[in-house]
Amino acid sequence: MRRSANCVPLANASQRLMNRGRHAWMSIAPATVRRRWLATEAAADAPPPPSPSDSDAVLQAVLQSTREAATARGIDGQRAPVWQRNFGIAAHIDSGKTTLTERVLFYAGRIRKIHEVRGKDGVGATMDSMELERERGITIASAATYCSWRNGVQLNLIDTPGHVDFTIEVERALRVLDGAVLVVCGASGVQSQSLTVDRQMKRHRVPRLTFINKLDRMGADPWRALRQLNERLRMPAAFINLPIGLERDLEGVVDVIRQCAVYFDGEHGERVRVEESLPPALRATAEQARRQLIERLANVDEPFGDCFLQREYDVPEAALRAALRRATIARRFSPVLCGSALKNIGVQPVLDAVVDYLPSPLEVESYGMESRGERRLLLQPDAAAPLVSLAFKLEEGRFGQLTYLRVYQGTLRRGDNVFNARTGKKVKVPRLMRMHADEMQDVEEARAGDICAMFGLECASGDTFTDETGKVRGISLESLHVPEPVMSLAITPKNRQDVPPNFSKALNRFTREDPTFRVHVDPESKQTIISGMGELHLEIYVERMRREYGVECEVGQPKVNYRETVTRRGGFQYLHRKQSGGAGQYGGVQGYIEPMHAEEADAATEPVDPTANEFVNALVGNNIPPQFLPAIERGFHEAVAEGALTGHRVQGVRMVLQDGKSHPVDSNEIAFRTAALMGFRHAFADAGAVVLEPIMRVAVQAPPEQAGDVIAALTKRRGTIMQSQSDGDAAAIEAEVPLHAMFGYTTELRSLTQGKGEYTMEYVRHAPCTREDQERLAAQYAGRRKGQSA
């Protein structure tokens, strides 16, 4: 943060003359040349990033801490990413993530002019490069960029979507980042997707700052948001700055650590002015906030707790900042900042906090798995070490596949041969780039800690690339957590001539880019079925097919992905015998099927997938020759692929094989596979088979006066109300509702709230459906099978 009572001019007279000449040339240059010029010259025209002299001591202390981390890991300071931060911005939808990112890029000198979300000025925000994003005002795909701050600290930034349908974008961004900024709306507080992002940050062990945004809105209450951070997210947090005024009166922020006022002057808040004296009305509040910060830090950081016991609230600023950094990196604390990105208030302190409190790659432990011994190996962010990198995102463009990578160890150079740990093949790096949204800048190399992109390299998301020397060839990095799709649609091109090749080409591209987008052909109807995370998710891809590939599609009714399971143990004893002249078929199996209970998953030392199925060989003796056991297991997997009740996949079932029969001549693999398949189906009904439906967590924001109507509507849709509270101008209602009951809810909610309500939903689990629904689904399945047999 900059401490100066005087404003710094953006450019002197000679610089303005140079700019005038450049702009005159730009007016006659071709459009493609102008875009390339703007991409490379953006920093020259943007406001210079503040480099406050009085914060040099703070920065030097941070850099010294990072150098000590490098020394402790045996890495030379010249090869270590001491001056680097990799962070992302994540939040609930419409919390102001992209608006915040736009200001970050402007103040850091990366862009020349601020543009707003939804393209109100005909341009749109820098990171929303897709036309659909600018039209709808939402982020659909994560976007990467880079800039520098505070005397050259390099920042790699990823802006992520807020809608739950695009949660895979947040998942893979957090997988490769070292820190994050969680943005919370000052008026709405912690919302449903805030909870999802919190879980993702904890799963990937990502330290975070929290920025309470939109404090210029009616009903903004940062203290309520702080309470929710501590209670709902269970993350110890405290203010490191406070707002000066709220709603229309928001003017600046109070630096809680230094007890001074910070204002943001200029047309876009680009000039930071610090006043040593606080407004009298805020002095008591600021002092109380500092005491609360010290107390909460003392509870989570032992060295600082000892200092607090000795000096109470009179702790040195350096000790307070050091404790903030330690506790944040250890994920025991989250510093909270306040402001309004739209009003250009409080953004520069967020950038200062990223530098001061989020870790460098040296202060984060990343591990690779040794494929042979399955041993975890600590990766060293050393540019001279053997290369280890992860491909975390793919995009298909006009010039081939664009692969985003995070380099964890070593150096990746253009023209190098690298080894793909999944395929076991060597590939050459044809082109290496740094990304600024949809713009690319060629680079010769990317070192440990960098985020870059490669063009023209065929691979899959989650692939590990190592150097070709073989020193780390056996290492692979943990892949991404990919949730299962919850909704499906039948899709058909209106013009049958579009099927080759645009229709298939579009679907192939989307499935490569997005692991949560699935495509298959229904074996009964022969229709193409697309599956995804929700209505908006699938709607976006249908629209992209029209715009990007010129393929108009007809879409069928949404289809819910039901599942089947069993509720108790059921035995089977089945003999498959067939004689038709010559060698026959003879195979018998005996055993039982049972549900895989949740308590078994809780007792397991390794994570257990609740949707998985298990085959157990409990044979005693040789009644079934060992060579037929794989065939029996294949028969089991065929049986669970299509349940006997409704034809949906079976999950959470264990099949235990105890005995069987065989014939020295007629037994073969086909006989035992068929016996296992039919034995499972016979036992399925006796084991209390049920149909499971996806249950969604629905979070509704509505005016308080319509809260009763909203609750009644959710209850009518078989929803279970989990929480309901009214804060200021909005009521927040959370419920768990079956997915099939949510179709058409958007229209109903708009009608109930006069267009003021909004909602998001997220998959929670599969649970048994009602008897009426089960009977209806079973009757439909029986009708389809009867029609096929006829």
Side-chain angles (χ1 to χ4, degrees):
M1 193 191 316
R2 195 161 165 269
R3 181 185 289 267
S4 173
N6 300 319
C7 298
V8 179
L10 294 181
N12 56 25
S14 61
Q15 183 64 50
R16 286 196 295 270
L17 288 172
M18 291 173 62
N19 290 344
R20 189 181 305 163
R22 178 166 67 248
H23 296 157
W25 177 84
M26 288 282 288
S27 65
I28 60 173
T32 55
V33 177
R34 289 200 302 270
R35 284 196 296 269
R36 191 178 301 116
W37 179 272
L38 292 176
T40 55
E41 293 294 307
D45 290 329
S51 300
S53 58
D54 69 341
S55 67
D56 287 348
V58 176
L59 179 59
Q60 290 305 318
V62 170
L63 295 176
Q64 180 59 33
S65 172
T66 309
R67 292 189 185 99
E68 290 172 359
T71 303
R73 299 180 70 164
I75 304 174
D76 182 83
Q78 298 298 319
R79 306 193 307 264
V82 174
W83 292 74
Q84 190 165 318
R85 303 289 183 271
N86 298 321
F87 74 104
I89 297 178
H92 184 87
I93 187 171
D94 200 30
S95 293
K97 299 175 303 301
T98 304
T99 302
L100 174 62
T101 305
E102 189 79 0
R103 270 65 180 176
V104 165
L105 295 177
F106 179 75
Y107 297 139
R110 193 67 188 82
I111 59 176
R112 302 171 58 247
K113 188 177 180 181
I114 293 176
H115 297 289
E116 301 300 344
V117 177
R118 295 186 187 273
K120 297 174 183 176
D121 53 1
V123 179
T126 303
M127 304 301 279
D128 286 347
S129 56
M130 196 183 299
E131 184 181 352
L132 271 172
E133 293 179 315
R134 294 176 176 177
E135 285 182 8
R136 293 174 177 257
I138 61 172
T139 301
I140 295 171
S142 59
T145 187
Y146 62 94
C147 57
S148 62
W149 187 254
R150 288 269 293 279
N151 298 332
V153 177
Q154 298 299 311
L155 306 179
N156 289 320
L157 167 63
I158 297 181
D159 179 35
T160 65
H163 199 285
V164 68
D165 283 15
F166 310 108
T167 189
I168 187 63
E169 295 286 337
V170 185
E171 189 77 30
R172 56 188 174 189
L174 292 176
R175 169 65 182 83
V176 298
L177 293 172
D178 303 322
V181 177
L182 174 63
V183 182
V184 174
C185 175
S188 303
V190 172
Q191 298 167 276
S192 60
Q193 189 65 5
S194 308
L195 300 173
T196 303
V197 170
D198 172 69
R199 289 193 295 270
Q200 291 172 315
M201 290 179 179
K202 289 175 179 175
R203 177 162 55 240
H204 294 291
R205 302 168 63 85
V206 176
R208 95 277 296 266
L209 308 171
T210 303
F211 179 58
I212 301 179
N213 192 24
K214 297 193 174 184
L215 292 180
D216 60 311
R217 285 183 56 181
M218 294 293 293
D221 187 347
W223 291 273
R224 181 188 64 216
L226 178 65
R227 263 194 327 272
Q228 293 174 343
L229 288 171
N230 284 282
E231 295 171 4
R232 299 187 65 185
L233 302 188
R234 297 182 181 179
M235 170 59 71
F239 291 118
I240 61 172
N241 67 28
L242 289 169
I244 300 176
L246 286 173
E247 300 176 354
R248 293 182 179 180
D249 299 327
L250 183 65
E251 298 177 2
V253 296
V254 171
D255 187 328
V256 170
I257 297 176
R258 293 176 176 169
Q259 295 288 290
C260 59
V262 184
Y263 300 94
F264 306 90
D265 300 331
E267 182 182 359
H268 300 294
E270 67 271 17
R271 291 174 291 192
V272 181
R273 173 170 53 89
V274 176
E275 297 289 347
E276 296 291 346
S277 60
L278 289 172
L282 287 175
R283 288 173 187 169
T285 304
E287 178 60 29
Q288 181 60 33
R290 190 175 190 274
R291 286 173 171 259
Q292 185 182 68
L293 172 64
I294 291 171
E295 290 169 1
R296 291 189 176 170
L297 270 179
N299 288 332
V300 297
D301 185 79
E302 187 174 346
F304 186 73
D306 295 338
C307 179
F308 175 65
L309 290 175
Q310 295 173 8
R311 308 188 59 163
E312 294 188 351
Y313 297 102
D314 187 25
V315 294
E317 179 184 326
L320 180 56
R321 290 185 180 277
L324 265 173
R325 181 171 176 77
R326 284 194 305 269
T328 303
I329 293 175
R331 303 181 309 282
R332 295 193 298 263
F333 186 81
S334 176
V336 179
L337 301 100
C338 299
S340 169
L342 184 64
K343 298 300 182 183
N344 309 310
I345 294 174
V347 176
Q348 292 94 324
V350 174
L351 281 170
D352 287 339
V354 166
V355 172
D356 293 343
Y357 307 124
L358 290 185
S360 75
L362 290 159
E363 296 162 298
V364 175
E365 292 184 348
S366 300
Y367 291 89
M369 293 296 295
E370 192 179 38
S371 56
R372 293 180 180 177
E374 296 186 356
R375 183 167 57 95
R376 295 178 76 205
L377 297 176
L378 178 63
L379 302 179
Q380 300 294 347
D382 185 347
L387 173 69
V388 179
S389 59
L390 176 70
F392 66 93
K393 179 180 177 179
L394 308 179
E395 284 183 5
E396 291 289 338
R398 291 176 298 170
F399 306 108
Q401 179 174 296
L402 182 66
T403 305
Y404 288 77
L405 292 108
R406 162 70 190 266
V407 181
Y408 285 93
Q409 179 177 288
T411 302
L412 180 66
R413 297 180 178 86
R414 183 171 66 87
D416 278 358
N417 289 319
V418 293
F419 179 80
N420 188 324
R422 180 182 61 87
T423 63
K425 296 180 180 179
K426 287 184 181 179
V427 291
K428 187 174 183 178
V429 181
R431 190 177 173 191
L432 199 60
M433 292 153 296
R434 297 184 75 182
M435 300 300 299
H436 173 54
D438 60 341
E439 297 173 358
M440 295 171 284
Q441 178 188 1
D442 284 283
V443 294
E444 291 298 315
E445 65 177 28
R447 301 169 62 128
D450 283 343
I451 294 175
C452 60
M454 293 190 297
F455 237 140
L457 189 68
E458 291 297 321
C459 67
S461 180
D463 281 0
T464 301
F465 290 96
T466 61
D467 67 345
E468 62 174 341
T469 62
K471 294 180 181 178
V472 289
R473 197 178 270 191
I475 290 181
S476 61
L477 296 169
E478 181 184 358
S479 191
L480 304 171
H481 168 76
V482 180
E484 286 294 315
V486 297
M487 184 178 293
S488 300
L489 294 175
I491 183 171
T492 307
K494 288 183 178 179
N495 183 359
R496 292 290 179 177
Q497 295 178 352
D498 288 329
V499 176
N502 284 355
F503 182 69
S504 300
K505 185 177 179 181
L507 294 178
N508 288 336
R509 171 190 170 183
F510 296 152
T511 53
R512 287 176 64 85
E513 291 182 356
D514 186 351
T516 61
F517 181 75
R518 313 280 175 84
V519 179
H520 72 277
V521 177
D522 187 275
E524 299 171 4
S525 65
K526 307 302 179 185
Q527 288 181 307
T528 300
I529 307 297
I530 59 173
S531 304
M533 301 306 296
E535 289 180 278
L536 179 63
H537 189 207
L538 299 179
E539 179 188 336
I540 289 294
Y541 279 116
V542 172
E543 182 64 17
R544 287 183 64 185
M545 291 180 71
R546 184 183 70 82
R547 296 191 183 204
E548 298 175 23
Y549 290 89
V551 179
E552 294 275 0
C553 292
E554 295 177 344
V555 178
Q557 290 296 316
K559 178 184 175 183
V560 176
N561 292 340
Y562 293 97
R563 296 287 182 263
E564 298 180 26
T565 193
V566 297
T567 57
R568 60 178 181 265
R569 179 178 292 193
F572 60 85
Q573 184 174 355
Y574 188 86
L575 176 64
H576 175 71
R577 180 165 48 189
K578 183 177 181 181
Q579 190 71 41
S580 58
Q585 295 180 16
Y586 188 97
V589 292
Q590 180 179 336
Y592 61 88
I593 62 175
E594 64 179 0
M596 297 175 64
H597 294 291
E599 53 266 23
E600 297 177 10
D602 295 338
T605 56
E606 297 293 330
V608 175
D609 182 3
T611 67
N613 299 296
E614 182 182 10
F615 175 78
V616 178
N617 176 15
L619 282 172
V620 177
N622 292 316
N623 286 343
I624 298 179
Q627 65 267 28
F628 296 131
L629 292 177
I632 296 174
E633 186 169 357
R634 283 198 298 273
F636 164 66
H637 289 299
E638 285 184 24
V640 299
E642 183 179 346
L645 288 179
T646 62
H648 292 92
R649 186 164 64 85
V650 179
Q651 69 176 36
V653 175
R654 178 187 294 111
M655 180 178 183
V656 180
L657 178 66
Q658 294 176 307
D659 202 355
K661 294 181 179 181
S662 63
H663 189 276
V665 176
D666 292 343
S667 289
N668 53 39
E669 291 189 354
I670 295 176
F672 277 104
R673 179 173 60 83
T674 305
L677 174 64
M678 298 307 297
F680 180 91
R681 288 181 176 173
H682 283 192
F684 195 63
D686 295 336
V690 295
V691 177
L692 305 176
E693 61 182 352
I695 303 298
M696 311 299 288
R697 179 183 292 110
V698 179
V700 183
Q701 297 280 334
E705 57 269 22
Q706 275 100 34
D709 295 335
V710 171
I711 292 174
L714 290 172
T715 304
K716 187 178 179 181
R717 292 173 180 264
R718 290 179 43 216
T720 302
I721 306 301
M722 309 301 293
Q723 183 177 347
S724 176
Q725 61 182 17
S726 180
D727 294 322
D729 296 333
I733 301 157
E734 289 188 12
E736 291 187 353
V737 190
L739 174 60
H740 81 88
M742 289 301 296
F743 295 141
Y745 183 65
T746 301
T747 303
E748 182 181 20
L749 180 62
R750 287 173 181 169
S751 175
L752 289 172
T753 62
Q754 289 80 49
K756 299 176 184 178
E758 60 181 26
Y759 80 99
T760 60
M761 63 180 184
E762 175 190 10
Y763 170 75
V764 180
R765 65 185 180 280
H766 272 76
C769 65
T770 62
R771 180 179 295 275
E772 292 78 8
D773 285 341
Q774 181 166 320
E775 291 174 353
R776 174 179 55 82
L777 292 168
Q780 291 174 354
Y781 179 60
R784 290 198 302 269
R785 290 178 62 87
K786 185 177 180 180
Q788 287 179 339
S789 61

